[in-house]
Amino acid sequence: EKGGYDHYMRKEIHEQPESLRQTLAGRLDVDAGDVDLDVSFPPGFLADLEEIRIVACGTSYYAGRYAARLFEDLAGVRATVEIASEYEFGAGRTPDRTLVVAVTQSGETADTLGAVRRANAAGARTFAVTNTLGSTVTREVDGTAFIRAGPEIGVAATKTFASQVATLAMLAVAVGRDRGALGAADARSVLEDLRGLPGAVQQVLDEEEQVREAAREYGDGEAFFFVGRALGVPVALEGALKLKEISYDHAEGFAAGELKHGPLALVTPETPVLAVLTDGARADETMNNVTEAQTRGAPALGCVSAGDEYDTLDVSFEVPDVGVVEPLVANVYLQLFAYHVANDKGRAIDKPRNLAKSVTVE
Ligand code: M6R
């Protein structure tokens, strides 16, 4: 049932080229610079839209953070992301001009359902991005886009994160095109990036041995810091969550620029730093912050765009050129790193202590 893999998590990491193909299948019209997500909004709603508010928890929240930047850049609409359990419809907001997007793999997360209910009560239009047909969230929202990643058994979300981001990126293009904020040529370039995503992820998976070695060499750190900028931030946060969840090691993700505002005090030769140094993640500036950590003796591992080079890195993972989804591809290295660190420690990877796949209490 695990298809020859020791753990569902590793199987699901390796399924990503195929699950992403399913996510994208029949939805990209690259030549026309458009997408078909089979979702409809009332006439004029998108044109008048003032704000997209994404609500989600855990990994889905990080997918939302990635997407918010895409909504702002591609769809020209203000986009905010809130941890679902913290979400309230504050004064000064305009419910009738707001789209609340719930991102939830299971469609059953109580915190996220609670946020959707508060949004509905405030009069906002609600939308779900989920993996699960017939899930509770689909019955509570005005519209749904399915991410089609297939069943995910491992408690740690992996392939569903990739498919969430890909689906939200398509939604951003659709909204941008509808609002006239995104020209056909720019849309085409994003869709080409998305079309290249499954192949790029496969190239990363082919480098698993390099990650296994890095995990063996650096996996005994006292703590692990993940950093990035722009689209690299949600990936850094997700990389840290994955590692802490399955290895029980202390891991934190930061916006790289924040290192010097506090966390740098924790950096020692025993705290490896993992950095997202790709296109879309302001790599050169991030590298400056990585250097600050290296000066304090920390080993540095980086996910670097193909063709770029940072000579001082201790380990450099190459990320194929796929534009706005490069940080998402870099994330696959971080998934593999978390997996191998946890596996070397003999952890219960598919069922980490204290955690459930679907959290149905608030
Ligand atoms: O089913 P959901 O996407 O709503 O779940 C949200 C979180 O509980 C989930 O992403 C959790 O953080 C994962 N175990 C992380 O790997």
Side-chain angles (χ1 to χ4, degrees), residues 47-347:
D48 290 344
L49 200 60
E50 255 174 23
E51 189 178 10
I52 292 180
R53 294 182 80 179
I54 300 169
V55 294
C57 308
T59 289
S60 298
Y61 168 75
Y62 299 137
R65 296 258 310 234
Y66 200 116
R69 281 195 170 252
L70 299 182
F71 279 117
E72 295 210 338
D73 290 353
L74 306 176
V77 59
R78 174 155 50 110
T80 52
V81 199
E82 277 146 282
I83 291 172
S85 56
E86 290 293 315
Y87 166 82
E88 279 167 53
F89 218 97
R93 306 265 187 171
T94 46
D96 52 326
R97 290 184 168 204
T98 299
L99 179 66
V100 172
V101 179
V103 183
T104 167
Q105 186 284 129
S106 61
E108 302 296 344
T109 300
D111 287 329
T112 307
L113 292 172
V116 167
R117 287 170 190 147
R118 292 194 290 281
N120 282 333
R125 181 153 286 268
T126 52
F127 192 84
V129 173
T130 184
N131 198 29
T132 315
L133 296 171
S135 56
T136 305
V137 79
T138 63
R139 294 195 295 272
E140 308 244 350
V141 291
D142 299 311
T144 300
F146 291 100
I147 67 169
R148 304 180 185 159
E152 187 176 67
I153 311 292
V155 164
T158 53
K159 62 176 180 171
T160 55
F161 175 77
S163 288
Q164 284 170 335
V165 173
T167 304
L168 287 159
M170 289 189 283
L171 188 62
V173 170
V175 174
R177 294 293 283 143
D178 188 281
R179 285 164 61 84
L182 186 67
D186 289 338
R188 224 172 278 137
S189 138
V190 176
L191 300 183
E192 270 163 18
D193 293 341
L194 282 169
R195 187 167 60 183
L197 186 55
V201 168
Q202 185 59 55
Q203 278 175 259
V204 169
L205 294 171
D206 292 343
E207 301 301 325
E208 183 169 14
E209 198 45 44
Q210 189 198 1
V211 188
R212 197 195 304 264
E213 278 166 29
R216 213 168 282 151
E217 183 155 0
Y218 298 102
D220 287 330
E222 277 169 10
F224 298 81
F225 301 124
F226 292 73
V227 297
R229 286 173 183 250
L231 293 173
V233 175
V235 170
L237 296 170
E238 167 61 7
L241 176 63
K242 217 84 312 176
L243 184 63
K244 74 177 80 158
E245 184 176 28
I246 62 167
S247 77
Y248 314 150
D249 283 308
H250 179 215
E252 294 298 331
F254 304 106
E258 280 295 288
L259 256 182
K260 58 185 174 300
H261 295 291
L264 203 52
L266 299 170
V267 169
T268 73
E270 311 306 322
T271 60
V273 172
L274 290 93
V276 183
L277 297 162
T278 62
D279 288 357
R282 287 161 53 197
D284 288 345
E285 288 160 82
T286 303
M287 190 60 208
N288 290 340
N289 305 118
V290 171
T291 305
E292 291 159 4
Q294 288 181 295
T295 307
R296 277 79 186 177
L301 297 76
C303 302
V304 179
S305 293
D308 288 353
E309 235 172 86
Y310 294 101
D311 292 340
T312 56
L313 288 175
D314 296 286
V315 177
S316 194
F317 298 121
E318 185 175 303
V319 178
D321 174 20
V322 278
V324 290
V325 285
E326 271 182 50
L328 181 60
V329 176
N331 184 56
V332 177
Y333 280 114
L334 305 186
Q335 293 172 340
L336 288 170
F337 183 79
Y339 174 83
H340 286 291
V341 169
N343 194 39
D344 289 346
K345 296 180 184 189
R347 302 296 191 224

